[in-house]
Amino acid sequence: MSGHLINSLTLQVLTGLQLGAIYALIALGLTLIFGTLGVVNFAHGALYLVAAYCAVFIANSLGFGWGVVLVPTILFAAGWIMERGLVRHFYTRPHTDQILVTFGLAIVVEEALKWGFGSNNIPYPAPAWGSGIVRLHDYLGFLEGFVVFPKWRLVLIGVSLAVIVALFALLRLTTFGLVIRAGMRDAGMLRFLGVNISQRFALVFGLGALIAGVAGVFGGPITQVSPEVGMHLLVPSFLVVVIGGMGSLEGALIAAMLLGMALSFSAQYSAVQQIIIYLVAVVVLLVRPRGLLGKKGVFE
């Protein structure tokens, strides 16, 4: 294999990981909320949008570090309020009702941001320590010549990996996660045992929003910040959830990486690049109608 081909493959894999990282962060929140609460939250893209706007103004006024701390906290509170004030009234309603009300909320948020800040893109540069390039050939001995990659995209991959590990640890290794997983199976039994499962489900919704907050802070410099970006990311992220299997966190991760790689390796065919991810979805769903790791009875 020639050195040029190895260099090209390495860059495409890294680009695929970076694209998959953004989709994974958004899709994890979607999947977490659906898997625990059974709610199809089409307003999740709007949460990312709110996070990106908050990150811009907090980073510009207080510094990027404060954005990392405050934006996920604000989004957690927003998610908790959204669940208590609106979404919990739709738990027993059909999924179509949930889609309509959350999609409507997303439209309201998008139009409100257009009204307040205009339709143009708002500059959101990466912080100075994350700007510039990484000389990959200095660290990867199998590369030949001068091979570089944007530093911030590597930061996004690292942050996404840390969030994924922390989320799985929370759900698999803590009492809170044990209760949530039990509530997913039989919420009525937990209520009978005296567990306030409604309060914990509100926390889960807030946690999903918090992850969208992290995605907005670290993904904003790459996706840019404009009122349409939330909807642009929501569609492929929801596709990730469907391909991975509704309610499956592991499936969402695999699907996010699959779509990221599909987009990266098809970049030279820009005219059909967006079509390819839908072709991937069609092929996967034809072979596995419930998605890669979907379970019988979920969203059927």
Side-chain angles (χ1 to χ4, degrees), residues 290 293-300:
R290 298 188 182 93
L293 299 180
K295 295 179 181 177
K296 185 179 181 180
V298 179
F299 205 64
E300 292 182 334

Side-chain angles (χ1 to χ4, degrees), residues 172-202:
R172 304 292 182 188
L173 305 177
T174 67
T175 304
F176 174 79
L178 179 65
V179 172
I180 292 302
R181 285 185 287 123
M184 291 168 64
R185 292 178 178 272
D186 194 342
M189 178 59 73
L190 286 183
R191 289 192 182 93
F192 181 74
L193 294 173
V195 176
N196 189 345
I197 193 67
S198 297
Q199 186 183 56
R200 285 171 171 78
F201 278 177

Side-chain angles (χ1 to χ4, degrees), residues 243 258 276-289 292:
I243 293 173
L258 183 63
I276 287 177
I277 63 173
Y278 293 99
L279 288 177
V280 171
V282 169
V283 171
V284 170
L285 294 179
L286 280 175
V287 177
R288 296 186 62 85
L292 294 172

Side-chain angles (χ1 to χ4, degrees), residues 256-278:
M257 293 303 121
L258 183 63
L259 286 196
M261 292 299 169
L263 285 172
S264 175
F265 279 88
S266 62
Q268 58 183 318
Y269 309 107
S270 57
V272 297
Q273 189 181 28
Q274 292 301 317
I275 297 175
I276 287 177
I277 63 173
Y278 293 99

Side-chain angles (χ1 to χ4, degrees), residues 8-279:
S8 177
L9 285 175
T10 302
L11 292 175
Q12 285 180 317
V13 168
L14 287 174
T15 302
L17 287 175
Q18 175 261 303
L19 290 170
I22 292 183
Y23 292 143
L25 284 179
I26 299 174
L28 278 179
L30 274 171
T31 303
L32 182 65
I33 291 170
F34 179 81
T36 53
L37 311 178
V39 173
V40 184
N41 181 22
F42 265 62
H44 207 71
L47 292 174
Y48 173 90
L49 187 59
V50 171
Y53 272 85
C54 288
V56 170
F57 291 103
I58 292 176
N60 288 340
S61 55
L62 301 176
F64 184 81
W66 281 105
V68 174
V69 175
L70 293 180
V71 173
T73 305
I74 292 171
L75 265 291
F76 177 85
W80 188 87
I81 292 171
M82 182 177 163
E83 194 276 342
R84 291 288 85 185
L86 178 65
V87 174
R88 70 188 179 102
H89 301 294
F90 288 83
Y91 283 161
T92 57
R93 302 278 287 272
H95 289 306
T96 50
D97 289 5
Q98 298 169 1
I99 291 173
L100 285 174
V101 72
T102 54
F103 188 76
L105 181 61
I107 296 296
V108 168
V109 171
E110 182 178 322
E111 293 301 318
L113 289 172
K114 281 182 183 176
W115 176 72
F117 304 102
S119 301
N120 295 328
N121 178 59
I122 297 179
Y124 179 28
W129 56 265
S131 301
I133 57 174
V134 175
R135 296 158 56 100
L136 293 178
H137 55 278
D138 288 343
Y139 304 97
L140 302 175
F142 57 84
L143 296 177
E144 294 182 5
F146 189 77
V147 185
V148 298
F149 196 74
K151 187 186 295 183
W152 190 250
R153 293 174 188 259
L154 293 177
V155 171
L156 176 63
I157 295 172
V159 169
S160 301
L161 183 61
V163 170
I164 291 166
V165 170
L167 178 63
F168 275 81
L170 176 68
L171 293 178
R172 304 292 182 188
L173 305 177
T174 67
T175 304
F176 174 79
L178 179 65
V179 172
I180 292 302
R181 285 185 287 123
M184 291 168 64
R185 292 178 178 272
D186 194 342
M189 178 59 73
L190 286 183
R191 289 192 182 93
F192 181 74
L193 294 173
V195 176
N196 189 345
I197 193 67
S198 297
Q199 186 183 56
R200 285 171 171 78
F201 278 177
L203 293 176
V204 168
F205 201 98
L207 181 61
L210 182 149
I211 296 173
V214 175
V217 172
F218 288 92
I222 296 174
T223 64
Q224 301 302 310
V225 181
S226 67
E228 291 84 10
V229 71
M231 203 60 73
H232 289 166
L233 286 173
L234 176 67
V235 175
S237 297
F238 194 76
L239 206 57
V240 165
V241 174
V242 174
I243 293 173
M246 298 295 288
S248 171
L249 292 172
E250 296 85 351
L253 287 179
I254 296 172
M257 293 303 121
L258 183 63
L259 286 196
M261 292 299 169
L263 285 172
S264 175
F265 279 88
S266 62
Q268 58 183 318
Y269 309 107
S270 57
V272 297
Q273 189 181 28
Q274 292 301 317
I275 297 175
I276 287 177
I277 63 173
Y278 293 99
L279 288 177

